[in-house]
Amino acid sequence: SQQGEEDPQALSIQEGENATMNCSYKTSINNLQWYRQNSGRGLVHLILIRSNEREKHSGRLRVTLDTSKKSSSLLITASRAADTASYFCATDASYSGAGSYQLTFGKGTKLSVIP
Amino acid sequence: ETGVTQTPRHLVMGMTNKKSLKCEQHLGHNAMYWYKQSAKKPLELMFVYSLEERVENNSVPSRFSPECPNSSHLFLHLHTLQPEDSALYLCASSQDFNTQYFGPGTRLTVL
């Protein structure tokens, strides 16, 4: 079964508002990542948070991790129309070999920011 | 630009055709990946290559055949595909701490 599950599946907000997306997972992890995907394009890495970290910031992004609840949240502050995209969390489910890890992605949250 | 390129960006093929997808990474990474992304389904990992050796093959049908001739190039050879194979095929690369860098994808349509 998939490791990461994002919630909500879709989110629509007005420009300037904050957007919060959640991710839950099932097994222990070394780290959790968030990726963004514009429609029909490749994924872009946003931020990585390690299992021993509780919060991390990058520009307008804030990620929290609660390993006791096996959950993470991504907050985008002061949203812009350009933030419209799908957002995925990914957990490192298994180690596949030298320098490579298998990531498991959720189905994503589709964010629409209305100008 | 993420440093990972994919060609072609769009491909339409019949079920009896043979085609290949190409991925090239300019990041000096030592691992490369093929993913399949279908509508309303999670991203599915198909193949992983590390140091040019295949280390993961997630029960992918034999009509998909990967090839990694060197650490910078990855191919996905397609043969006798089915309409349900229509999807966005994404290539990614990584080094060490599993942050993956994705290409723009190839939108494949099988008629």
Side-chain angles (χ1 to χ4, degrees), chain A residues 2-15:
Chain A
Q2 65 194 61
Q3 172 76 318
E5 296 242 12
E6 293 89 349
D7 169 62
Q9 291 187 13
L11 179 61
S12 184
I13 60 173
Q14 294 288 328
E15 201 166 30

Side-chain angles (χ1 to χ4, degrees), chain B residues 79-93:
Chain B
H79 175 53
T80 321
L81 294 191
Q82 304 298 311
E84 60 265 28
D85 297 322
S86 298
L88 182 67
Y89 288 84
L90 293 164
C91 172
S93 69

Side-chain angles (χ1 to χ4, degrees), chain A residues 2 31 33 35 37 40-45 48 50 88 92 94 96-103 105-107, chain B residues 9 30-31 33 35 37 42-43 45 48 50-51 55-56 58 88 90 94 96-100 102-104 107:
Chain A
Q2 65 194 61
N31 58 62
Q33 303 180 51
Y35 287 80
Q37 183 181 33
R41 306 278 299 181
L43 280 71
V44 176
H45 178 257
L48 180 152
R50 302 193 189 284
F88 297 86
D92 56 337
S94 65
S96 300
S100 70
Y101 288 79
Q102 180 173 335
L103 294 181
F105 290 81
K107 291 183 181 179
Chain B
R9 294 294 310 279
N30 59 7
Y33 312 76
Y35 288 89
Q37 188 177 36
L43 207 60
L45 179 65
V48 180
S50 176
L51 300 173
V55 296
E56 199 80 35
N58 285 352
L88 182 67
L90 293 164
S94 75
D96 298 334
F97 298 109
N98 73 357
T99 294
Q100 294 183 14
F102 285 79
R107 173 68 63 185

Side-chain angles (χ1 to χ4, degrees), chain A residues 3-75:
Chain A
Q3 172 76 318
E5 296 242 12
E6 293 89 349
D7 169 62
Q9 291 187 13
L11 179 61
S12 184
I13 60 173
Q14 294 288 328
E15 201 166 30
E17 294 180 339
N18 296 341
T20 299
M21 290 158 270
N22 302 297
C23 170
S24 59
Y25 57 93
K26 295 184 173 66
T27 63
S28 297
I29 60 172
N30 294 312
N31 58 62
L32 183 145
Q33 303 180 51
W34 284 91
Y35 287 80
R36 165 199 165 122
Q37 183 181 33
N38 287 67
S39 180
R41 306 278 299 181
L43 280 71
V44 176
H45 178 257
L46 294 176
I47 196 165
L48 180 152
I49 186 165
R50 302 193 189 284
S51 59
N52 62 353
E53 297 176 308
R54 292 296 166 259
E55 189 172 311
K56 202 161 183 179
H57 296 253
S58 177
R60 293 184 295 113
L61 305 180
R62 174 179 165 243
V63 169
T64 61
L65 180 64
D66 186 336
T67 52
S68 66
K69 295 181 180 178
K70 291 186 169 61
S71 68
S72 173
S73 68
L74 170 67
L75 168 68

Side-chain angles (χ1 to χ4, degrees), chain B residues 44-101:
Chain B
E44 299 173 58
L45 179 65
M46 300 175 73
F47 302 104
V48 180
Y49 275 81
S50 176
L51 300 173
E52 300 155 39
E53 288 193 19
R54 191 189 313 179
V55 296
E56 199 80 35
N57 177 354
N58 285 352
S59 302
V60 178
S62 59
R63 57 186 184 268
F64 294 93
S65 174
E67 179 190 0
C68 187
N70 55 61
S71 60
S72 299
H73 293 86
L74 185 65
F75 294 90
L76 187 63
H77 303 299
L78 315 172
H79 175 53
T80 321
L81 294 191
Q82 304 298 311
E84 60 265 28
D85 297 322
S86 298
L88 182 67
Y89 288 84
L90 293 164
C91 172
S93 69
S94 75
Q95 179 77 27
D96 298 334
F97 298 109
N98 73 357
T99 294
Q100 294 183 14
Y101 294 80

